Amino acid sequence: MSVGDVHLLRRRLRRALTAGRPAVGTFVKLASPDVVELAAAAGFAFVVVDLEHSTLTERDAVDLVRHADVCGLPALVRVPEVDAAAVNRLLEAGAAGIQLSMLTRLAQSEALLAATRFAPTGSRSVSLANRAARFGATPLAGFLRAEQDDPPVLVGQIETARTDPLPELVAALDVCFVGSTDLAVDLGLPADPAVLGAAVDRVRGAARSAGVAFGGWAPNRNAASDLGLGDADYLVVGSDLQMLAAGLRAAVGEENQ
């Protein structure tokens, strides 16, 4: 398996975030490299390997990230918390970035930045014996320069009504991502559509104020506008598991007609 260029993939994704139309990706919850290849062939701009709501292990995530790298597809990894050692291993495997769930406190943003940046900006441990550094073929100075020029893409999920001031909370990120499902539950499910809409608008406003991309999740492209994501820069639609389930249900339905 050849070694790709994760820095090029990060640069491409950042360009897509400012292209004036949504960069569309999907969650990967199944431990099959076929999913990554299918996503790349379908034209997705990125995938998010999900270590929060799936049965994937870190080993699975590393394999999926490596395969995405070979396919030329940026792969971020969603994590439920900042584990600096695990984050470093995922980045060394070729992850384009990290997506952090349940971001509520500035200390979490600071920890995420520290875990994904080398000194003096952060506290990430340095090694060249990894895929991102081409297993030592890239000199240390060149690797550090590439990481400085094209650092990991950082996404923070805002999923509760109560957080530290949002513009400051997301200022160091690339994407401020509204987790509308958890946000709706936090507001009291079934949430009043007007109340939920105002909360989504608040997250969007914070992203625009901080000068970072605005993003979120929708079950499909058509549902994005109803969820307040019509102008999202970073849009995650469904997941491999969701699409497989829908396809299987449709196949059974057709057969029984």
Side-chain angles (χ1 to χ4, degrees):
M1 185 177 288
S2 63
V3 180
D5 186 346
V6 68
H7 301 101
L8 176 62
L9 296 180
R10 293 172 184 169
R11 196 177 318 140
R12 183 193 306 166
L13 180 54
R14 284 194 169 92
R15 282 200 301 265
L17 295 177
T18 61
R21 58 184 182 276
V24 180
T26 192
F27 282 121
V28 174
K29 300 173 183 284
L30 299 172
S32 171
D34 292 340
V35 172
V36 172
E37 289 195 33
L38 286 166
F44 281 104
F46 63 93
V47 292
V48 182
V49 177
D50 192 359
L51 284 182
E52 183 189 24
H53 292 297
S54 77
T55 60
L56 295 175
T57 66
E58 184 184 320
R59 177 71 260 174
D60 294 330
V62 165
D63 288 344
L64 290 165
V65 162
R66 287 165 61 95
H67 202 71
D69 181 48
V70 171
C71 292
L73 182 66
L76 295 89
V77 181
R78 177 162 74 169
V79 296
E81 61 185 358
V82 180
D83 178 333
V87 165
N88 199 20
R89 289 191 294 269
L90 293 165
L91 295 176
E92 289 181 346
I98 301 295
Q99 182 159 324
L100 177 63
S101 296
M102 289 292 179
L103 177 60
T104 62
R105 297 289 175 256
L106 185 57
Q108 292 172 279
S109 296
E110 293 171 343
L112 180 61
L113 187 67
T116 57
R117 303 295 192 267
F118 296 121
T121 307
S123 57
R124 180 182 168 193
S125 181
V126 184
S127 170
L128 297 180
N130 60 72
R131 185 180 187 83
R134 296 179 178 270
F135 302 106
T138 301
L140 178 59
F143 180 57
L144 293 176
R145 184 168 55 252
E147 284 288 320
Q148 181 178 19
D149 293 344
D150 296 293
V153 176
L154 303 183
V155 182
Q157 295 188 189
I158 308 301
E159 304 178 85
T160 61
R162 292 167 298 282
T163 68
D164 284 348
L166 279 176
E168 291 88 344
L169 186 61
V170 303
L173 308 180
D174 293 280
V175 181
C176 174
F177 182 102
V178 58
S180 52
T181 302
D182 277 296
L183 185 57
V185 173
D186 187 59
L187 292 168
L189 194 65
D192 183 325
V195 173
L196 179 58
V200 172
D201 287 343
R202 173 173 164 263
V203 177
R204 178 193 296 103
R208 301 309 184 206
S209 175
V212 304
F214 171 60
W217 177 89
N220 53 65
R221 288 291 299 270
N222 293 334
S225 293
D226 291 340
L227 292 171
L229 299 171
D231 63 342
D233 309 297
Y234 175 96
L235 182 63
V236 181
V237 293
S239 71
D240 54 356
L241 194 58
Q242 175 188 335
M243 295 176 202
L244 175 60
L248 291 171
R249 286 193 293 268
V252 170
E254 292 170 2
E255 187 174 308
N256 290 339
Q257 289 178 356

